[in-house]
């Protein structure tokens, strides 16, 4: 979705350009106005904001999809592969806790809001077989956010030694351990749902990367 290397660098910089910062602010406000029910009618409430997002950042796919949906120009239903790939791509900032790259993670509240806002436009166009994945990811993101907000960290779920050490260090904190167990169970259920849907193990591995 990013056509040039310069644009990619601009998105990665901590000191984001004024246009990108304004676009993010506008999109978050639009998502609040649209609310939990994403329909052409609710999207039209924020048409001006979404159009402004595209003026500021023409490659903002979520704004583009929402406007297409409002105008009846969006595909009625995505393919299963496309739907799941988009879900994982959007949720990757949070799903990375399933990778062993760091022992613990901590995300800003803006990161959680951004992921949730970008997931919303997908719901009306999901194929039936992808809906369990969609709601599983939504629930997982919400549960991780609760844990991260309360404890200001979340351990990596991919490194058994690190996870074991984290549990041992907090073994007297029953509430923390109980919440962590819930997160682990959710990602295990999500993994089983993915494995049930796709038999290509290489494809599944790529989803989680």
């Amino acid at each position: 979705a990013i056509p040039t290397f310069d644009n990619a660098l601009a998105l990665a910089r901590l000191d984001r350009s004024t246009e990108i910062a304004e676009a993010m602010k506008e999109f978050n406000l639009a998502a609040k106005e649209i609310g939990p029910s994403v329909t052409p009618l609710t999207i039209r409430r924020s048409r001006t904001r979404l159009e402004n997002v595209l003026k500021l950042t023409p490659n903002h796919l979520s704004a583009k999809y929402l406007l297409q949906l409002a105008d009846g120009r969006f595909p009625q239903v995505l393919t299963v592969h496309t739907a799941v790939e988009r879900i994982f791509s959007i949720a990757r900032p949070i799903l990375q806790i399933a990778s062993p790259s760091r022992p613990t993670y901590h995300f800003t509240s803006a990161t959680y809001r951004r992921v949730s806002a970008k997931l919303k436009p997908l719901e009306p166009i999901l194929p039936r077989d992808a809906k369990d994945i969609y709601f599983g990811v939504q629930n997982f993101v919400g549960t991780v956010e609760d844990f991260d907000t309360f404890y200001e960290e979340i351990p990596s779920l991919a490194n058994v030694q690190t996870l074991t050490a984290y549990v041992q260090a907090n073994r007297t904190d029953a509430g923390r351990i109980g919440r962590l167990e819930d997160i682990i169970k959710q990602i295990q259920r999500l993994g089983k749902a993915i494995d049930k849907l796709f038999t290509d193990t290489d494809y599944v591995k790529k989803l989680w990367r």
Side-chain angles (χ1 to χ4, degrees), residues 183-199:
I183 291 171
I184 293 170
K185 287 176 183 177
Q186 284 195 26
I187 205 161
Q188 287 174 340
R189 286 195 294 268
L190 185 58
K192 288 179 182 178
I194 290 289
D195 291 340
K196 184 178 179 181
L197 204 55
F198 303 112
T199 56

Side-chain angles (χ1 to χ4, degrees), residues 158-188:
N159 189 314
V160 175
Q161 290 181 334
T162 300
L163 189 58
T164 301
Y166 187 89
V167 170
Q168 286 296 321
N170 296 281
R171 61 184 180 276
T172 60
D173 189 339
R176 184 190 299 243
I177 299 304
R179 288 184 177 190
L180 184 58
E181 286 176 347
D182 189 31
I183 291 171
I184 293 170
K185 287 176 183 177
Q186 284 195 26
I187 205 161
Q188 287 174 340

Side-chain angles (χ1 to χ4, degrees), residues 96 131 140 148 152 155 165 183 191 197-198 208:
Q96 66 176 305
K131 288 189 176 180
F140 178 76
D148 193 11
E152 297 186 337
I183 291 171
L197 204 55
F198 303 112
W208 288 103

Side-chain angles (χ1 to χ4, degrees), residues 32 35 126 154 202:
K32 289 181 181 179
L126 290 174
I154 177 77
D202 288 335

Side-chain angles (χ1 to χ4, degrees), residues 39-97:
T39 67
L41 183 61
T42 59
I43 294 168
R44 290 182 193 123
R45 298 173 187 164
S46 293
R47 172 178 288 279
T48 302
R49 288 193 189 280
L50 293 171
E51 289 174 344
N52 191 36
V53 170
L54 286 182
K55 286 179 183 177
L56 294 165
T57 52
N59 302 303
H60 198 295
L61 291 181
S62 294
K64 179 181 177 182
Y65 294 153
L66 284 168
L67 286 170
Q68 287 179 343
L69 182 60
D71 295 337
R73 294 184 288 114
F74 204 80
Q76 290 296 314
V77 178
L78 298 174
T79 65
V80 173
H81 277 78
T82 299
V84 173
E85 286 169 8
R86 287 186 185 172
I87 291 167
F88 268 69
S89 177
I90 290 169
R92 186 154 287 114
I94 310 303
L95 289 173
Q96 66 176 305
I97 71 168

Side-chain angles (χ1 to χ4, degrees), residues 95-113:
L95 289 173
Q96 66 176 305
I97 71 168
S99 71
S101 58
R102 296 198 323 226
T104 60
Y105 295 84
H106 178 56
F107 309 110
T108 64
S109 58
T111 300
Y112 290 106
R113 287 197 304 270

